[in-house]
Amino acid sequence: PLRLTIKRKFSSYEIGMQTGAIGDAMYSAGVYCYFLFFCGAELPILEKDCRRFIKQMSEYKQILEKYRVTVLLQTALNLMGKSNNPLDLTSETMVQSQYIEECPKQMKCGFYILSSWLAYLFGEYELASSAVSSRMEVEKNTNKKIEWCGMTLFYDCLIYLAVEKRDQKRFASDISGKTKMCGFYPRALMKKLVDYAPLNNQHRLLLIEAEVASLEGEHDIAIEKYDSAIAAAEVIGFLHEQAIGNERAGDFFLAHGSIKRATRYYGHAIDLYRRWGAQAKVNHLCKQVPI
């Protein structure tokens, strides 16, 4: 489970600081912050830890790690409502345009992943898709893709499916009945991640399957998968992805005219986003849905 890795990374940070291996310590601190985010840790806690480590990274001149954690901190601030525009990674911490221009190449992929994720979360699916395309262009000149414990692929799938929902004419099936969208197989890709780390990714696969079933008109299967995804996310404590599952289920029922059931799921999503600390998302969802 990813939560166990969080404890190990913090221990690695402490050992590095104690033994004078500052570079290793700062790297572990950065990974620790990202793993907190992946697990849905409360955003105010994440903000506090990020600021603490960024200060140390500045003191020890660990520039790469500072870039890496700064964009994560800004993502948290955007979600918390501490920026003028939740889609623009700009506040007192960083300026988006300046960051893109100055950050090392290896940091740009992480920037585009977080940008695409924010755009998806706030319903700007074309913008999210554009950020994914930008990341893939950068990846052509890098040695290794950033997988982030399955999070990258998970949101790539969700973004692709969200765009497909807006243009179902491109949606098709191959001869084996597997959903195919321009050569992209969301379920097949997510199943690889489940085989690799089932505890971290089972709820993600279930949500992808729910979204695919919704697109294919398999309503009963979609309902079952949405509920299973929400329950699985709750079991491992991924608060943010439990919220996303509820929001997508709310979208499903609203699209099919079941306002009462949609309202119930949306209400759960809002409560979960609030517990996470994502006030900007709470405000956005309250404006968008009929509650």
Side-chain angles (χ1 to χ4, degrees):
L2 195 56
R3 290 189 182 280
L4 296 180
T5 307
I6 291 175
K7 295 179 181 179
R8 289 198 295 267
K9 286 300 176 183
F10 189 77
S11 295
S12 297
Y13 157 75
E14 291 181 316
I15 292 170
M17 295 301 291
Q18 292 166 4
T19 59
I22 302 301
D24 291 341
M26 293 297 100
Y27 172 78
S28 294
V31 175
Y32 167 79
C33 289
Y34 272 87
F35 281 10
L36 281 178
F37 181 65
F38 299 159
C39 287
E42 293 179 13
L43 294 172
I45 294 173
L46 177 63
E47 178 191 3
K48 182 179 178 181
D49 282 338
C50 284
R51 290 190 185 278
R52 167 193 171 191
F53 290 128
I54 287 172
K55 182 179 179 181
Q56 286 187 326
M57 290 165 184
S58 296
E59 292 171 353
Y60 288 105
K61 300 186 182 345
Q62 299 292 312
I63 305 303
L64 286 178
E65 293 309 320
K66 181 181 176 183
Y67 270 114
R68 195 192 313 274
V69 178
T70 294
V71 70
L72 177 64
L73 170 59
Q74 188 58 57
T75 300
L77 294 175
N78 281 32
L79 289 165
M80 294 168 71
K82 295 185 178 182
S83 64
N84 293 329
N85 179 356
L87 300 177
D88 183 22
L89 289 164
T90 299
S91 72
E92 92 286 351
T93 302
M94 61 174 272
V95 176
Q96 177 169 301
S97 58
Q98 183 178 345
Y99 184 93
I100 296 173
E101 183 178 343
E102 295 179 355
C103 78
K105 184 185 297 183
Q106 57 264 48
M107 300 294 108
K108 288 185 179 179
C109 287
F111 166 82
Y112 285 122
I113 293 170
L114 293 171
S115 294
S116 66
W117 190 80
L118 280 174
Y120 172 79
L121 198 65
F122 286 96
E124 298 293 336
Y125 302 134
E126 295 297 338
L127 181 61
S129 181
S130 177
V132 171
S133 297
S134 295
R135 185 197 85 231
M136 289 180 173
E137 282 299 312
V138 175
E139 285 177 340
K140 292 178 181 178
N141 299 311
T142 58
N143 295 325
K144 186 178 180 181
K145 295 181 180 180
I146 299 177
E147 297 181 353
W148 279 354
C149 306
M151 194 189 90
T152 304
L153 179 55
F154 175 51
Y155 287 106
D156 281 358
C157 290
L158 288 179
I159 290 165
Y160 210 110
L161 290 166
V163 172
E164 287 297 317
K165 283 186 176 182
R166 293 191 173 183
D167 188 5
Q168 291 190 329
K169 292 180 181 179
R170 299 206 312 265
F171 197 80
S173 294
D174 67 12
I175 56 174
S176 65
K178 295 178 181 177
T179 299
K180 182 173 81 170
M181 295 159 292
C182 303
F184 192 79
Y185 296 82
R187 284 184 292 193
L189 291 170
M190 288 306 300
K191 283 179 179 177
K192 291 181 180 179
L193 287 174
V194 172
D195 291 339
Y196 174 71
L199 287 176
N200 296 329
N201 291 301
Q202 184 62 45
H203 68 287
R204 293 170 173 168
L205 173 62
L206 289 165
L207 184 55
I208 294 300
E209 290 179 332
E211 292 283 84
V212 171
S214 173
L215 276 166
E216 292 180 334
E218 299 285 351
H219 296 169
D220 290 341
I221 294 175
I223 293 169
E224 177 188 349
K225 295 291 185 179
Y226 282 124
D227 285 338
S228 296
I230 292 165
E234 183 178 13
V235 166
I236 60 172
F238 280 27
L239 198 65
H240 56 327
E241 291 176 359
Q242 187 185 350
I244 291 170
N246 274 281
E247 185 179 357
R248 293 289 80 84
D251 292 343
F252 171 83
F253 284 111
L254 183 63
H256 291 87
S258 182
I259 296 178
K260 185 175 180 180
R261 295 183 75 177
T263 299
R264 178 165 62 87
Y265 283 98
Y266 284 137
H268 289 321
I270 288 170
D271 179 60
L272 288 161
Y273 284 128
R274 184 177 288 113
R275 286 167 53 195
W276 186 33
Q279 189 58 45
K281 177 58 185 176
V282 170
N283 296 341
H284 170 263
L285 194 52
C286 286
K287 291 177 182 177
Q288 298 294 317
V289 301
I291 293 182

